[in-house]
Amino acid sequence: MLRLQAFKFEVMPTGEQQRQMRRFAGSCRFVFNKALAWQKERYEQGESRLGYAGLCKRLTEWRHDPETAWLADAPVHPLQQALKDLERAYANFFAQRADFPRFKKKGRRDSFRYPDPKQIKLNQENSRLFLPKLGWLRYRNSRNVSGMVKNVTVSQCCGKWFVSIQTERKMAQPIPKGGAVGIDMGVSRFATLSDGTFYAPLNSFKRHEDRLRKAQRAMSRKTRLSNNWKKAKARIQRIHSRIGNARRDYLHKISTTISQNHAMVCIEDLPVRNLSRSAAGTTEVPGRNVRAKSGLNKAILDQGWFEFRRQLDYKLAWNGGWLVAVPPRNTSRTCPCCGHVSADNRQSQARFECVECGFEENADVVGAINVSRAGHARFACEVSGVVRPPAAGTRRGESARVG
C-alpha cells in the first residue's frame, strides 16, 4: 500500500528569508494572473487555449523580457507549478467541479511549491529544511516526518509562514479493526453513532463570534489601508485562524477515533450547499423565517460536515476500512423496529416515537441506525467478488474492486 501524507510545520525565517518568500509568492501570483489574462485574450481572438507546455515557453520569454526580468530572481520550478495550478483550474472548470479560474489577489493564500525532491534537504535532527534560493530554514519540529519527501509547499497565514512536506512511503496492507457503524450528523449533536455514542458540537465560530464582531466594528471605523486599519485587519485574521484551527483539531480527533475503531463507517450524503442556502428570496417573492434560517445556516457551516467526511475518507483508507455514503432521505422518519415511515414519528428534534408500533428512542440514534442499515445494503449491492479497501484517492461513497 502506497501512503501519501503531508506534515505541516511553522517555519522561523530570518528577515531576509521572509522578504525572499514574499517575492517568490508574488512572482508565482504574477505568473498565474498573467497566464490567465493571456488565455482569456486568446479566447476572445478565437484562438485555442494553450496547454502547460505552451505556457512554459511563454514563461521562458517572460523571464528574458527586460520588463519582467525580475522573474528570473525566483526559482523556476515554483513558477512552473503556478502554471500547473492554472491548468488544473481549467480542468476542474470544464469538468464542472469548480467555477471559472479567477485572478489571484495579494495577501490571500500566498504560497509557492517546490516539486523536485532532489533540491530539497530535510535535517530533522537539527530542525532545518533547505530550499532553493532560500537556504536553510528552521522550523518547529513538533513531529517526526515519515517517508520519502516528494514536494514542499511554503504558505503564509496571519503573518506566519508554514511548510507542508508531502511524503510517500510503502506500508503493509492494514487490517481493519472493529465492526460497522452508522453516523447521523446534526447541529444539537455533532455526530451520533448507531451504538448510542454521540459527540457534542464544538461551535468554534459561536464561541468567538462576539470577539469577531467587535473586531470587525473596530476595523470599520479605521481609515482604509492606514496602519491602524492593517492592524485591525490582522486581528480579525488571527481570530478567524483560531476558529479554523480549533474546528480542524476537533474534527481530526473525532475522525481518528472513529476510523481506528471501525472497519466500515456509513454516513449521510448531505448536500451542505443546499442545506445552508439562504432563505431571503427575492423582491417579488420574499422568503419566510429568514432570520431563523440564517441562524440555522450559520450553525450548519460551523460544524464542518464536509471536512469531517473528507478526513474520515482518507483515514479509513489508511486503516483498511470503508466509507459508504447513503442518501439521507427518511433516515429520521423510518422506524427501525417495524419500518413504518411517517413524519409524525419525529415528535421533536430529539424524540422519536413510532405512531405504528410505539417504539421510542432518541431521534439521532434512530437516524444513525437507519444510516447503518442503508449503508450495509448499498455496500452489499456495490461490492462483488474479491474486495479490497479503497485507495486514498477513491471518491467518497465509491468502492474499489478487484476482478
Side-chain angles (χ1 to χ4, degrees):
M1 176 182 176
L2 196 62
R3 177 167 172 174
L4 298 175
Q5 187 173 1
F7 300 85
K8 190 173 183 178
F9 305 98
E10 180 186 352
V11 296
M12 298 173 287
T14 62
E16 179 60 27
Q17 288 175 334
Q18 289 189 43
R19 288 188 287 272
Q20 287 289 87
M21 288 190 290
R22 284 195 292 267
R23 293 191 191 102
F24 296 167
S27 299
C28 293
R29 181 177 61 253
F30 175 83
V31 169
F32 183 94
N33 292 341
K34 190 174 180 64
L36 178 57
W38 192 62
Q39 294 279 37
K40 286 186 175 181
E41 183 180 350
R42 288 179 60 89
Y43 176 78
E44 293 174 356
Q45 295 175 356
E47 300 179 6
S48 61
R49 182 176 59 89
L50 282 184
Y52 170 70
L55 291 176
C56 284
K57 293 181 181 179
R58 297 290 298 180
L59 175 61
T60 304
E61 297 176 4
W62 297 338
R63 286 167 59 90
H64 290 88
D65 189 347
E67 295 183 359
T68 56
W70 47 270
L71 288 175
D73 298 334
V76 65
H77 285 172
L79 299 181
Q80 292 174 348
Q81 291 298 302
L83 298 178
K84 278 199 172 183
D85 292 341
L86 178 60
E87 184 72 12
R88 189 178 301 110
Y90 268 106
N92 291 334
F93 168 70
F94 290 125
Q96 298 182 352
R97 293 190 296 264
D99 295 332
F100 189 81
R102 292 178 292 181
F103 293 102
K104 292 188 175 182
K105 187 178 180 181
K106 182 179 179 180
R108 290 188 179 180
R109 298 180 180 178
D110 288 340
S111 64
F112 53 96
R113 182 168 60 254
Y114 291 94
D116 189 1
K118 296 180 181 178
Q119 297 181 346
I120 302 169
K121 300 177 184 178
L122 179 62
N123 186 351
Q124 299 190 61
E125 296 179 356
N126 297 318
S127 304
R128 298 191 308 167
L129 177 69
F130 179 85
L131 298 175
K133 293 196 175 183
L134 284 177
W136 288 99
L137 283 166
R138 299 193 64 84
Y139 69 94
R140 298 187 181 276
N141 193 358
S142 57
R143 59 186 303 192
N144 186 43
V145 177
S146 304
M148 182 185 305
V149 178
K150 301 298 292 183
N151 61 68
V152 171
T153 301
V154 183
S155 59
Q156 184 187 27
C157 180
C158 301
K160 297 181 180 180
W161 288 92
F162 300 88
V163 290
S164 182
I165 307 172
Q166 187 179 39
T167 63
E168 178 184 273
R169 67 181 185 271
K170 291 184 179 180
M171 300 183 64
Q173 184 63 46
I175 300 176
K177 300 179 182 178
V181 68
I183 301 179
D184 180 81
M185 309 300 299
V187 174
S188 58
R189 286 184 176 185
F190 169 70
T192 304
L193 276 60
S194 55
D195 57 7
T197 308
F198 70 91
Y199 296 93
L202 180 64
N203 294 329
S204 59
F205 179 82
K206 188 176 181 179
R207 292 184 178 185
H208 297 83
E209 191 172 7
D210 292 337
R211 293 181 57 196
L212 183 61
R213 184 186 298 109
K214 293 179 182 178
Q216 290 173 338
R217 287 178 178 175
M219 178 181 170
S220 66
R221 293 190 291 266
K222 304 292 189 297
T223 303
R224 182 174 175 81
L225 299 180
S226 65
N227 289 333
N228 288 334
W229 181 86
K230 293 178 181 178
K231 293 178 183 177
K233 182 181 179 181
R235 182 186 176 192
I236 294 176
Q237 289 177 340
R238 287 194 297 269
I239 296 175
H240 277 297
S241 177
R242 190 174 295 114
I243 292 172
N245 290 338
R247 182 186 295 119
R248 282 188 295 270
D249 177 72
Y250 186 66
L251 296 180
H252 272 296
K253 290 177 180 177
I254 297 178
S255 59
T256 298
T257 301
I258 294 176
S259 61
Q260 289 179 348
N261 298 322
H262 298 90
M264 186 174 74
V265 175
C266 307
I267 194 169
E268 295 173 295
D269 189 10
L270 295 173
V272 180
R273 177 176 296 181
N274 295 338
L275 291 174
S276 59
R277 184 172 295 170
S278 174
T282 61
T283 306
E284 294 78 10
V285 185
R288 294 184 299 176
N289 300 326
V290 178
R291 179 169 295 183
K293 185 61 169 65
S294 176
L296 178 61
N297 294 346
K298 190 183 297 184
I300 290 175
L301 296 175
D302 195 13
Q303 305 307 314
W305 290 344
F306 181 82
E307 175 64 15
F308 178 66
R309 175 174 166 176
R310 187 191 70 86
Q311 293 179 10
L312 275 178
D313 190 5
Y314 74 82
K315 289 181 181 181
L316 282 167
W318 283 355
N319 292 289
W322 295 83
L323 178 68
V324 182
V326 300
R329 184 178 182 182
N330 291 331
T331 54
S332 61
R333 299 179 177 181
T334 303
C335 177
C337 185
C338 66
H340 179 68
V341 181
S342 174
D344 298 332
N345 291 343
R346 190 78 178 260
Q347 300 291 332
S348 63
Q349 179 65 29
R351 183 166 172 251
F352 181 94
E353 182 178 352
C354 181
V355 296
E356 186 73 17
C357 66
F359 175 79
E360 295 184 14
E361 183 57 270
N362 182 277
D364 295 330
V365 175
V366 170
I369 294 174
N370 290 329
V371 169
S372 177
R373 292 179 178 178
H376 278 81
R378 182 166 186 174
F379 184 80
C381 294
E382 288 185 353
V383 180
S384 60
V386 181
V387 181
R388 63 173 177 82
T394 304
R395 291 184 178 180
R396 301 170 186 85
E398 293 185 354
S399 303
R401 310 181 184 183
V402 176

